[in-house]
Amino acid sequence: MKKLREEDKIIERVKRIHMIGIGGSGMCPLAEILHGKGYILSGSDNNESDPLKRVRALGATVYMGHSAENIGDSELVVYSAAISQDNPELCEARRRGIPTMERSHLLGALTRRFDNVIGVCGTHGKTSVTSMITQILYLNNLDPTAVIGGRLPLLGTNGRSGKSEHMVCESCEFVDTFLQMSPDVSVLLNIDDDHLDYFKTMDNLVLSFHKFISMSHTAYINGDDALARRAAEGIDAKVITFGLNKDNDFYADNIAPAALGYEFDAYKNGQKLGRVHMRIPGKHNVYNGLAAFAVAYDMGVSPADIDSALSKFTGAGRRFEFLCEADGVTLVDDYAHHPTEIEATLSAAKSLDFSRVVAIFQPFTFSRTALLKDEFVRALSIADKVILTPIMGSREVNTYGIKSEDIAEKLENAVVLETFSDIAEHIAENKKKGDLIITMGGGDIYKAAYLIREDMQKS
């Protein structure tokens, strides 16, 4: 029996919930789950979006813009981390004594209402592996509930409300939000130097992952990752390792490139279970596919059925997502925002049959850009041409004196352009047949990709 927290008691006693920022990628799947459990929903947002249309289709009352009157007769107000504390709806809820709850606390409360919660964590690959596990379970009639950080093409959304006790959750370490959850099974993909503006040291970062996987009864760990192994030291959970080395419980062997990705033999404890065919580029996705394979296999899904589901997986939204091809030029969009992810994405791109790889990168947060500047330079140098936007500061003030030009000046063929319109115009004038153009970043660089796509589709 999972130990209940105060927010769990609130969820139990209310029926009407108002969600500020209901169209956000983190809020929309929670709205779907709440709707599936019979809650009456309303919400507000500033921008129209596909997730917002989906929420409306559920029957939720949605207001454009934020106003104190919007919360109506709600018994609980939920808000995303992006909502400021002086938001009029949040202020009105406090004035009236209506309970308020940040999104990560709501997600945590929901995880304690399922018997088999699979929490996927790690610095890189969370969205991909959460999507893969969800796709395997969904296509094999296990009817999972899912909360994913990106859109899963199979579902057309980034979450779903299932009727089984299986819940698959992307579990993000940023400011320790995943510690609000209660996973039964944890999956630790890797640990890399990120969010050090919050964690300060790698030891603190490893400790955070240690705390998360300690809450589960079974932990799947990347046995080839030294920091992941360190995070698993001393936990009470059953530890199952996966990786390329044969001393792992699950390992991949006979890895071979295929037309759209890699294929490999999956082994458990030295016994070959079956061949797995991936349709997404990048050798790092062998690890991701193997992690999903291990979890699904131990849940009773046959190797053949796992392979069938993975062979249909074409990537999550913004994970090497194909957007357009015209006149011999291909456009894709990717969420890569850390040097390790950029290196993996660009290496995968260079392994494909393109004449040039043109990387359009939006640095995200001043702290990460300053701390990892040299690593960004090395990763971006893989591309044949680099276009940088100004740094998107998000929640931060630039106390570091860092700017995108500091990266561009260390690259052979790089330029900084101020606006997405400038980038689209530059691409229109300079693209060549055989180019792969890839937009990358954790902010809103996808908007530049959409402008480029518009131009490509006109020509």
Side-chain angles (χ1 to χ4, degrees):
M1 186 71 178
K2 296 181 181 180
K3 185 178 179 181
L4 297 182
R5 304 183 190 182
E6 184 58 36
E7 50 262 40
D8 303 29
K9 300 172 186 174
I10 296 173
I11 288 290
E12 290 290 342
R13 69 171 182 258
V14 305
K15 270 296 176 190
R16 295 180 177 273
I17 299 177
H18 182 78
M19 306 179 77
I20 309 174
I22 195 169
S25 61
M27 293 283 267
C28 178
L30 300 190
E32 293 203 42
I33 296 169
L34 291 170
H35 172 76
K37 291 194 170 295
Y39 290 90
I40 300 168
L41 302 180
S42 63
S44 60
D45 216 304
N46 283 327
N47 301 299
E48 286 291 348
S49 63
D50 288 338
L52 205 60
K53 294 174 186 174
R54 190 169 181 87
V55 169
R56 281 201 187 95
L58 298 176
T61 301
V62 177
Y63 303 96
M64 294 309 297
H66 302 296
S67 171
E69 298 82 49
N70 290 348
I71 65 174
D73 58 356
S74 299
E75 301 164 291
L76 170 66
V77 173
V78 177
Y79 59 97
S80 71
I83 299 300
S84 64
Q85 291 301 303
D86 60 356
N87 179 278
E89 296 173 18
L90 205 50
C91 292
E92 178 67 6
R94 290 169 179 155
R95 187 187 73 78
R96 289 168 50 185
I98 298 172
T100 62
M101 190 180 298
E102 196 271 324
R103 173 202 172 272
S104 65
H105 290 259
L106 172 62
L107 174 58
L110 290 174
T111 64
R112 287 180 283 281
R113 301 186 73 173
F114 291 82
D115 287 343
N116 184 39
V117 176
I118 303 163
V120 180
C121 69
T123 308
H124 315 295
K126 293 184 293 290
T127 299
S128 293
V129 176
T130 306
S131 298
M132 289 177 191
I133 295 173
T134 299
Q135 177 144 326
I136 294 167
L137 300 185
Y138 178 79
L139 290 178
N140 286 283
N141 302 313
L142 292 175
D143 198 17
T145 292
V147 178
I148 311 171
R151 179 179 51 82
L152 176 56
L154 176 73
L155 304 177
T157 181
N158 62 330
R160 75 181 300 268
S161 178
K163 293 183 171 59
S164 75
E165 287 297 324
H166 304 304
M167 183 183 196
V168 190
C169 280
E170 182 167 336
S171 309
C172 183
E173 75 277 11
F174 178 62
V175 298
D176 284 322
T177 52
F178 64 176
L179 298 185
Q180 303 301 327
M181 299 169 57
S182 294
D184 299 283
V185 173
S186 57
V187 183
L188 176 51
L189 302 171
N190 44 62
I191 301 178
D192 205 347
D193 52 353
D194 201 9
H195 302 308
L196 293 183
D197 54 321
Y198 171 75
F199 289 107
K200 307 302 181 187
T201 69
M202 290 301 292
D203 286 343
N204 289 338
L205 179 60
V206 171
L207 178 60
S208 182
F209 283 107
H210 172 86
K211 290 177 180 177
F212 179 75
I213 64 178
S214 293
M215 293 189 287
S216 61
H217 60 66
T218 304
Y220 291 82
I221 305 296
N222 181 346
D224 295 351
D225 187 294
L227 293 179
R229 291 198 311 271
R230 178 145 70 91
E233 290 175 0
I235 67 173
D236 292 331
K238 178 182 179 182
V239 175
I240 299 171
T241 59
F242 64 89
L244 306 190
N245 293 324
K246 294 182 180 179
D247 57 355
N248 289 296
D249 298 306
F250 285 87
Y251 64 88
D253 200 8
N254 302 317
I255 301 168
L260 298 170
Y262 282 84
E263 57 183 64
F264 60 90
D265 291 332
Y267 284 77
K268 182 178 184 181
N269 299 327
Q271 177 187 354
K272 180 180 173 180
L273 302 176
R275 190 120 179 112
V276 178
H277 302 79
M278 308 290 295
R279 291 189 62 201
I280 43 178
K283 201 167 184 180
H284 59 286
N285 277 310
V286 173
Y287 278 98
N288 292 338
L290 183 64
F293 182 100
V295 172
Y297 178 79
D298 284 348
M299 288 178 65
V301 184
S302 75
D305 288 335
I306 295 173
D307 176 49
S308 176
L310 287 178
S311 68
K312 296 181 179 71
F313 181 72
T314 55
R318 300 215 63 220
R319 272 67 182 178
F320 216 91
E321 181 180 9
F322 172 84
L323 294 183
C324 179
E325 193 278 328
D327 298 326
V329 177
T330 301
L331 174 67
V332 300
D333 180 45
D334 197 273
Y335 187 66
H337 58 284
H338 183 280
T340 302
E341 296 166 350
I342 292 168
E343 181 179 352
T345 298
L346 291 180
S347 295
K350 290 287 283 186
S351 73
L352 302 174
D353 190 22
F354 292 98
S355 302
R356 283 196 315 174
V357 173
V358 179
I360 303 170
F361 177 56
Q362 179 188 50
F364 189 68
T365 74
F366 301 112
S367 59
R368 181 187 288 123
T369 309
L371 289 168
L372 302 175
K373 182 183 74 172
D374 293 341
E375 289 85 347
F376 277 118
V377 171
R378 280 196 296 271
L380 288 167
S381 67
I382 297 170
D384 298 292
K385 178 179 174 61
V386 176
I387 299 169
L388 290 142
T389 74
I391 299 167
M392 185 174 188
S394 184
R395 58 193 176 273
E396 295 181 344
V397 176
N398 190 7
T399 58
Y400 303 85
I402 188 74
K403 56 187 185 299
S404 292
E405 284 78 2
D406 298 331
I407 296 173
E409 67 184 15
K410 294 183 179 296
L411 294 167
E412 285 188 12
N413 192 7
V415 63
V416 179
L417 297 177
E418 286 294 319
T419 70
F420 295 156
S421 295
D422 292 339
I423 292 171
E425 184 176 337
H426 182 88
I427 291 295
E429 293 172 355
N430 293 279
K431 68 180 186 292
K432 299 178 181 178
K433 187 174 182 178
D435 278 354
L436 172 64
I437 300 167
I438 179 164
T439 51
M440 298 185 298
D444 60 352
I445 188 65
Y446 60 88
K447 294 177 181 176
Y450 294 165
L451 289 177
I452 295 168
R453 180 172 63 180
E454 285 179 21
D455 287 345
M456 288 175 64
Q457 290 174 336
K458 289 176 189 172
S459 61

